[in-house]
Amino acid sequence: MQTTSSIFMVRPVKFDFNQETEHSNAFQRRLPGYLNVQDAAVQEFDNFAEILKSNDIDVVVFEDTPEPHTPDSIFPNNWISTHEDGSVYLYPMEAENRRYERRTDLIRALGSRFLIKELRDLSYFEDQNRYLEGTGSMVLDRDNKIAYACLSPRTDTVVLKKFAELSGYSIVCFHALDNHSKAIYHTNVMMCVGAKFILLCMEAIKDKDEKNLLIKKIHSADKQIIEITLAQILKFAGNMLQLKNRKNEDLIVLSEQAFQALNDKQIDQLSKYGRLVHIPLNTIETAGGGSARCMIAEIHLPNL
């Protein structure tokens, strides 16, 4: 199924602006030095996790470790994905300090509750300077086994091909540019795939052939397209995730900033597919350059 009620999140211990990622992540901003970024981020994280739990989502919270320093550990969806067939994928990360986020103890902990049949580690591509940062680089249509990916320094076609070979997914690649004609670093800031909808910034895709192929593929998957603008993705309006809680209720999770950026028509369109749950994440979004979806690693593994 496209959606799940089980997720895991990583509570940060040294969240901060990551100098190693700023060259490719145009969403990051340095916060004033007098602010305690870690404390503010933990407050936002804890509030986010509690709100999800209060909405009947099964949230597994793992604690980050002080060493090695991993300023972006709060975004676990970039290094791991889990799948209905019991497979777990580990991904090659561009920034060296993000590679330490891959933790075997977390995988073992997941294995104590869920069935893991096979671990497929793609991190060896880092030796070739090729990267694919999980469900940041790819937005997965799990029902139709389609992986959508906008190409960037963090999303390499060779690694995408290997993922397709191992997983059975078909790959739909395209180029997406921000309002400064810079490659958008992760697909999940401009695109969200739900069970019956796809939210997408068409404005970012300049090549007509790529755009037409993408529209054709989405229509073949029988999903409604909900369009957002380049200005809205700067507010993280594309970085949302549909979940289904333990009461079988559809939820669409996004930040407060993202929600405020949507217009009434877009809210009405999305509300047909789930109740919108929006949470303030201003510190995490500003310093980290990621938002609500990035903080959630979905668990699609079978239960033990």
Side-chain angles (χ1 to χ4, degrees), residues 8-10 15 25 27-28 44-45 48 52 72-78 98 135-136 185-186 188-190 232-241 253-261 277-297:
F8 82 80
M9 302 173 67
V10 178
F15 176 80
N25 183 345
F27 294 81
Q28 288 178 249
E44 291 176 359
F45 176 94
F48 187 13
L52 291 177
D72 283 330
S73 62
I74 203 168
F75 304 131
N77 81 306
N78 297 146
R98 295 213 62 190
T135 54
Y185 82 109
H186 275 164
N188 74 2
V189 297
M190 61 162 291
Q232 288 175 316
I233 71 170
L234 290 174
K235 303 293 185 180
F236 293 99
N239 197 243
M240 60 178 70
L241 181 67
V253 180
L254 68 166
S255 74
E256 183 64 32
Q257 179 182 207
F259 177 77
Q260 294 296 335
V277 178
H278 40 99
I279 305 100
L281 297 170
N282 294 340
T283 303
I284 293 167
E285 289 176 323
T286 303
S291 188
R293 194 278 168 267
C294 301
M295 296 170 66
I296 296 171

Side-chain angles (χ1 to χ4, degrees), residues 92-285:
M93 311 283 281
E94 182 187 43
E96 287 190 22
N97 64 8
R98 295 213 62 190
R99 299 171 189 178
Y100 297 116
E101 295 173 29
R102 295 188 297 258
R103 287 171 52 188
T104 55
D105 61 319
L106 268 61
I107 298 168
R108 285 196 301 270
L110 288 175
S112 69
R113 283 193 53 190
F114 302 94
L115 178 62
I116 296 177
K117 292 183 178 179
E118 188 170 6
L119 184 65
R120 294 169 176 167
D121 188 352
L122 302 177
S123 63
Y124 63 88
F125 278 105
E126 289 166 355
D127 294 336
Q128 304 172 29
N129 297 319
R130 297 183 183 276
Y131 313 110
L132 183 68
E133 298 190 337
T135 54
S137 289
M138 303 179 292
V139 177
L140 302 180
D141 180 342
R142 292 175 181 266
D143 290 332
N144 296 288
K145 300 209 80 171
I146 303 168
Y148 296 97
C150 69
L151 301 178
S152 77
R154 302 199 196 182
T155 304
D156 183 272
T157 55
V158 172
V159 195
L160 277 166
K161 184 178 179 181
K162 186 63 178 179
F163 173 79
E165 176 189 320
L166 293 172
S167 67
Y169 274 72
S170 62
I171 306 293
V172 178
C173 292
F174 53 93
H175 296 82
L177 304 177
D178 64 17
N179 52 359
H180 297 293
S181 297
K182 184 176 181 179
I184 292 174
Y185 82 109
H186 275 164
T187 314
N188 74 2
V189 297
M190 61 162 291
M191 188 176 193
C192 166
V193 175
K196 295 181 180 179
F197 74 91
I198 291 184
L199 179 130
L200 174 64
C201 182
M202 286 289 190
E203 186 183 0
I205 305 168
K206 310 302 181 185
D207 186 284
K208 290 183 179 179
D209 290 337
E210 289 185 345
K211 186 178 295 187
N212 289 336
L213 176 62
L214 183 58
I215 292 170
K216 183 178 179 181
K217 197 72 173 179
I218 293 171
H219 285 163
S220 72
D222 196 27
K223 296 181 189 280
Q224 180 191 359
I225 296 174
I226 300 173
E227 287 200 48
I228 56 173
T229 66
L230 280 169
Q232 288 175 316
I233 71 170
L234 290 174
K235 303 293 185 180
F236 293 99
N239 197 243
M240 60 178 70
L241 181 67
Q242 185 181 25
L243 298 171
K244 187 181 288 288
N245 69 13
R246 287 176 288 198
K247 294 180 178 177
N248 209 37
E249 180 186 13
D250 288 308
L251 307 177
I252 297 173
V253 180
L254 68 166
S255 74
E256 183 64 32
Q257 179 182 207
F259 177 77
Q260 294 296 335
L262 298 173
N263 60 41
D264 290 343
K265 179 182 178 182
Q266 292 163 333
I267 291 172
D268 287 343
Q269 288 175 314
L270 285 166
S271 296
K272 294 176 185 176
Y273 301 111
R275 177 163 54 83
L276 274 62
V277 178
H278 40 99
I279 305 100
L281 297 170
N282 294 340
T283 303
I284 293 167
E285 289 176 323

Side-chain angles (χ1 to χ4, degrees), residues 59-70:
V59 183
V60 180
V61 175
F62 293 114
E63 296 286 340
D64 191 15
T65 55
E67 296 296 336
H69 181 206
T70 51

